[in-house]
């Protein structure tokens, strides 16, 4: 059961969440509303805007459990805290890290960086917790993103492949992106969730080291395992060593 905290007279859940069906237990995440639209909280009747710079086709933050109002309400509260009270946000995240002895944090299972000050808040948190590994994926270009990425305990995975597009797609796209990145001297990693639905971040920390991580398309109706190129992608994934990162 989620622990409750008090913020501005509201009883809300703790800001960090211990895993989910994809991430797995032991890897905590802080998430915000995805997309660009405004969402009205069903109980407290406030509106808050999504935190992404665009609305991506197949965004998993719009599918599955994220469709339910209680989940959206929880994301809305976290988004409102991050948008309006960064002092509380930093203090509370630091408290929860110490309270639960957290070692791994994925910044944004859904959502993205929405302001330079918000990125700087994460810089402050990461510096205060050098023993915690942080990673995230972003399309944001705020100056502070480079500062955050420069910290030894933080890795930012670029959601954009220069000259190509986003870091997810069908088998043909993944193979082309992989070869392209290899060709320019990068060391891309293909998420193992693409071949094993039981694979979680708990046992694979590839995103904590690689600048480019590729994801097979999901939440769009596309079935990678039915693609004639899937065996080639599967072999690439299986030949990746966890020790690679």
């Amino acid at each position: 059961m989620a622990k409750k905290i008090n913020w501005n007279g509201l009883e809300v859940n703790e800001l960090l969440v211990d895993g989910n069906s994809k991430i797995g237990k032991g890897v905590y995440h802080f998430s915000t509303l995805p997309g660009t639209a405004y969402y009205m909280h069903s109980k407290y009747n406030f509106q808050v805007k999504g935190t992404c710079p665009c609305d991506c086709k197949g965004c998993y933050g719009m599918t599955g459990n994220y469709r339910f109002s209680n989940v959206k309400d929880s994301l809305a509260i976290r988004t409102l805290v991050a948008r309006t009270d960064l002092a509380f946000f930093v203090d509370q995240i630091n408290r929860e890290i110490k309270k639960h002895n957290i070692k791994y944090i994925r910044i944004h299972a859904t959502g993205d960086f929405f302001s330079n000050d918000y990125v700087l808040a994460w810089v402050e948190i990461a510096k205060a917790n050098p023993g915690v590994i942080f990673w995230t994926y972003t399309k944001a270009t705020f100056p502070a993103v480079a500062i955050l990425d420069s910290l030894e305990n933080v890795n930012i995975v670029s959601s954009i492949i220069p000259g190509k597009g986003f870091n997810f797609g069908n088998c043909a796209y993944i193979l082309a992106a992989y070869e392209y990145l290899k060709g320019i001297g990068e060391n891309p990693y293909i998420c193992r969730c693409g071949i094993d639905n039981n694979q979680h971040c708990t046992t694979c920390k590839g995103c904590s080291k690689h600048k480019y991580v590729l994801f097979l398309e999901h939440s769009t109706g596309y079935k990678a395992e039915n693609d004639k190129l899937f065996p080639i992608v599967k072999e690439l994934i299986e030949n990746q060593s966890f020790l690679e990162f």
Side-chain angles (χ1 to χ4, degrees):
M1 182 177 294
K3 306 295 190 301
K4 297 291 185 179
I5 58 174
N6 185 280
W7 176 68
N8 283 352
L10 304 180
E11 186 180 60
V12 299
N13 292 335
E14 287 186 338
L15 300 182
L16 294 173
V17 178
D18 184 4
N20 61 27
S21 60
K22 287 186 176 294
I23 297 174
K25 292 296 181 182
V27 175
Y28 285 70
H29 66 93
F30 175 80
S31 296
T32 55
L33 285 168
T36 63
Y38 282 85
Y39 176 76
M40 175 71 76
H41 194 282
S42 65
K43 179 180 179 180
Y44 297 126
N45 297 318
F46 65 80
Q47 265 196 339
V48 64
K49 191 178 187 296
T51 57
C52 297
C54 59
D55 297 290
C56 297
K57 176 186 175 183
C59 173
Y60 64 83
M62 302 290 188
T63 62
N65 291 337
Y66 292 109
R67 295 172 297 159
F68 302 129
S69 60
N70 64 318
V71 177
K72 290 180 179 178
D73 282 349
S74 181
L75 291 174
I77 286 282
R78 290 178 172 87
T79 303
L80 187 66
V81 170
R83 283 194 177 278
T84 64
D85 196 348
L86 284 177
F88 173 85
F89 172 80
V90 170
D91 181 66
Q92 182 62 30
I93 294 287
N94 284 335
R95 287 174 182 271
E96 292 176 23
I97 289 172
K98 292 176 182 177
K99 176 182 177 182
H100 300 294
N101 192 30
I102 295 171
K103 299 301 181 185
Y104 300 99
I105 294 178
R106 172 174 167 173
I107 307 172
H108 305 138
T110 62
D112 204 341
F113 298 119
F114 56 83
S115 75
N116 200 65
D117 284 342
Y118 174 58
V119 182
L120 288 174
W122 280 108
V123 171
E124 185 176 346
I125 292 167
K127 285 183 175 179
N129 299 278
V132 178
I133 301 299
F134 298 81
W135 69 84
T136 189
Y137 321 91
T138 188
K139 302 177 186 71
T141 58
F142 302 110
V145 171
I147 299 173
L148 183 61
D149 197 28
S150 71
L151 302 179
E152 289 188 2
N153 59 330
V154 178
N155 187 54
I156 294 182
V157 177
S158 177
S159 296
I160 304 293
I161 300 171
K164 286 289 182 181
F166 293 141
N167 61 340
F168 67 91
N170 60 25
C171 288
Y173 181 82
I174 293 300
L175 289 171
Y178 185 88
E179 291 302 320
Y180 170 78
L181 289 167
K182 282 286 192 180
I184 62 173
E186 296 290 348
N187 185 26
Y189 190 81
I190 307 174
C191 179
R192 295 186 62 85
C193 288
I195 63 169
D196 183 1
N197 291 331
N198 295 315
Q199 177 69 51
H200 303 300
C201 299
T202 306
T203 52
C204 173
K205 306 297 191 305
C207 294
S208 69
K209 292 294 182 183
H210 288 268
K211 179 179 180 181
Y212 294 105
V213 179
L214 305 174
F215 298 89
L216 280 168
E217 185 176 336
H218 50 279
S219 302
T220 63
Y222 170 73
K223 301 294 184 182
E225 61 271 22
N226 296 333
D227 193 309
K228 64 181 181 180
L229 295 175
F230 180 70
I232 301 173
V233 177
K234 186 174 185 288
E235 184 178 6
L236 274 177
I237 294 173
E238 290 177 332
N239 287 337
Q240 293 177 134
S241 168
F242 287 150
L243 298 178
E244 206 171 79
F245 50 83

